[in-house]
Amino acid sequence: MGADPRLGTLPGGPDTGGTRPGAAPRAAGTPRIVGVVWGLLVLNTLGSAGARTIVPLPRSLIQMVTMGALVAAFALALAVNLRLRIRPSAYVLLLTLLLVPSVISSVNLESGFGALFRCGRLALFVATLWLLSRWWDGGPTFVRHHIRMYFAVLGSVAAGAAISPGAALPELYGGRLVGALWPLTPPQIGQYAAVIIGLTVLLLLGRRADRAGAAVVIVPSLVLLALTHTRTATLGLLIGLAVAIGSLVMTSAAARRFFAWAVLCAAVAAVGFAPALRAWFLRGQSEENLTSLTGRAKVWDALLAAPRTTGQELFGMGLGDKSFGGLPIDNSWLAVYHEQGWTGVTLVAAIIVVLGGVALLRPPSLARACALFLISYCAIASYTEAGLGDASPYLLHLAVAASLLAAPVQGPPAPAPEVPRRRVPRWARR
């Protein structure tokens, strides 16, 4: 995994798309407008509910901005891909099939007219991914777009904390970091920080980023992650990196050195800072509260005990706000079961299995390691976070993984060199 001069540095170097070693170069790089489309998709998935901001933002205004971003993303993706050239993708195909139980359950209006609106949003989201699949070639283009967009989001969080520390660390959330300029909850901030930290570390190990550029991303993100006190994001980051780096250990000396140092530092931290780490992990909660996953288990038990018809078992209750009885479900599998039934659960499980299976069958590479990190992180976070069944950052994470696992675009074969004709003397021709 040598250095690749085409890939620039993080967070702001040039990005020409890149292809795998041995693949034919593409005729043209990824258009810059594709990065704009990806940023608009990120904006759409930020959500409209969260902490109180310094300047109060009406929820209707936030929803108008996020939905407008999705419409703009689809329009720009269509404008840059007018010929509707798409690449076969099992991931986007399974998302398209997920629309079927979503629509079947939503037309009953058991969750209100908002269910149909969410179906339209999911359909537009999936259509945009289909249009972008044209540029999925196994290169790090979308990894870099992902890091840049979420680093910009974290920049707004840091700016809000600098402007108003009281609003950014409210007592309502137990002193955990929230978004003071845009309403973001601690789990959201922790998720964004963990994902870009993991991807940047892998780019650094693969010599796709220089140390200074990587430090600009990793160090502030680690600080923000620590301030959120988000256990799911921290565990997802650690386990995801362990899986990803483990896939590189046999082929990368840098990965072996990093793994050895990480194990050593973890052992020292476990011995020397055990009380502080335990206090950070508990967040002032009791052992009983931690065992019940901060009350989530009670909501899950009530959801599973609720009576359902056969149709509701198969197709769910319709797309909603991922809550039950007015309380958040905070589990992707139960949220999908509640809204899209066993059909939705089967399709979401197929997404994880297919992406994971394809990644495991690929030879060791940086692209495979990044894909394994994203898949592992989403699988771990699905236990305490919802989002795998609707337009969300988790679907964007998996879309990046799908772009990394796509086969490289093969260009037309190079013409064979013309063999010069040997000049034959006239006397010999006679």
Side-chain angles (χ1 to χ4, degrees):
M1 299 188 318
D4 191 341
R6 296 172 301 173
L7 300 178
T9 59
L10 280 173
D15 186 2
T16 59
T19 56
R20 292 180 181 173
R26 292 175 298 170
T30 304
R32 292 183 179 273
I33 198 171
V34 171
V36 177
V37 173
W38 198 257
L40 291 172
L41 289 178
V42 169
L43 176 58
N44 172 255
T45 57
L46 292 182
S48 59
R52 295 179 180 177
T53 55
I54 299 174
V55 178
L57 299 175
R59 186 174 182 182
S60 58
L61 174 62
I62 298 174
Q63 290 176 333
M64 186 184 305
V65 171
T66 54
M67 194 60 199
L70 179 58
V71 174
F74 175 76
L76 290 176
L78 185 61
V80 78
N81 191 5
L82 282 175
R83 296 185 179 181
L84 301 181
R85 293 178 178 175
I86 61 175
R87 297 201 65 190
S89 172
Y91 170 68
V92 189
L93 176 61
L94 289 170
L95 283 184
T96 306
L97 295 177
L98 189 61
L99 282 168
V100 176
S102 304
V103 173
I104 291 176
S105 59
S106 297
V107 293
N108 295 326
L109 300 181
E110 294 182 14
S111 299
F113 286 98
L116 293 178
F117 176 81
R118 293 183 179 92
C119 283
R121 174 177 176 244
L122 179 59
L124 206 58
F125 183 88
V126 174
T128 306
L129 292 182
W130 272 122
L131 293 172
L132 293 180
S133 67
R134 173 184 177 181
W135 293 281
W136 293 1
D137 60 356
T141 302
F142 287 89
V143 173
R144 295 187 174 279
H145 290 326
H146 214 54
I147 293 174
R148 289 168 185 157
M149 295 305 115
Y150 281 116
F151 187 70
V153 174
L154 293 180
S156 71
V157 174
I163 295 172
S164 178
L169 300 166
E171 290 297 329
L172 179 64
Y173 284 89
R176 301 169 65 190
L177 181 66
V178 300
L181 297 180
W182 185 275
L184 297 173
T185 61
Q188 286 179 282
I189 300 171
Q191 175 197 162
Y192 306 153
V195 167
I196 68 173
I197 289 170
L199 291 176
T200 306
V201 167
L202 293 174
L203 290 181
L204 182 62
L205 290 179
R207 299 180 183 178
R208 281 0 188 227
D210 59 41
R211 294 182 180 180
V216 170
V217 175
I218 294 173
V219 174
S221 301
L222 277 173
V223 173
L224 297 181
L225 175 60
L227 291 175
T228 61
H229 287 254
T230 307
R231 296 179 291 236
T232 300
T234 304
L235 290 175
L237 171 63
L238 297 177
I239 298 174
L241 274 180
V243 172
I245 295 174
S247 71
L248 295 174
V249 164
M250 300 302 294
T251 58
S252 171
R256 289 192 291 271
R257 288 193 299 269
F258 184 88
F259 188 80
W261 277 106
V263 172
L264 178 61
C265 293
V268 171
V271 174
F273 302 97
L277 291 174
R278 184 174 182 276
W280 183 90
F281 192 79
L282 287 177
R283 295 194 315 229
Q285 298 174 343
S286 63
E287 296 286 350
E288 181 182 357
N289 199 10
L290 180 63
T291 305
S292 65
L293 297 173
T294 321
R296 291 185 177 96
K298 298 178 180 179
V299 180
W300 299 347
D301 293 340
L303 186 150
L304 292 173
R308 298 174 186 271
T309 64
T310 303
Q312 291 170 348
E313 288 278 351
L314 289 175
F315 302 111
M317 309 285 290
L319 292 183
D321 58 357
K322 313 299 177 288
S323 66
F324 180 80
L327 297 173
I329 298 175
D330 285 341
N331 180 289
S332 285
W333 304 101
L334 291 179
V336 172
Y337 167 71
H338 178 62
E339 296 183 354
Q340 291 140 312
W342 284 113
T343 307
V345 171
T346 302
L347 291 172
V348 171
I351 289 174
I352 301 295
V353 171
V354 168
L355 288 177
V358 171
L360 292 175
L361 292 175
R362 293 292 171 86
S365 66
L366 178 61
R368 178 200 188 206
C370 291
L372 283 173
F373 168 75
L374 292 169
I375 297 167
S376 301
Y377 182 89
C378 292
I380 294 166
S382 66
Y383 185 65
T384 57
E385 298 290 338
L388 287 181
D390 204 350
S392 70
Y394 292 105
L395 293 191
L396 288 181
H397 303 334
L398 293 177
V400 175
S403 74
L404 290 166
L405 297 174
V409 178
Q410 299 292 340
E418 185 178 355
V419 179
R421 298 181 60 184
R422 185 177 180 183
R423 185 176 180 275
V424 182
R426 183 177 298 177
W427 63 267
R429 283 181 284 178
R430 292 176 181 173

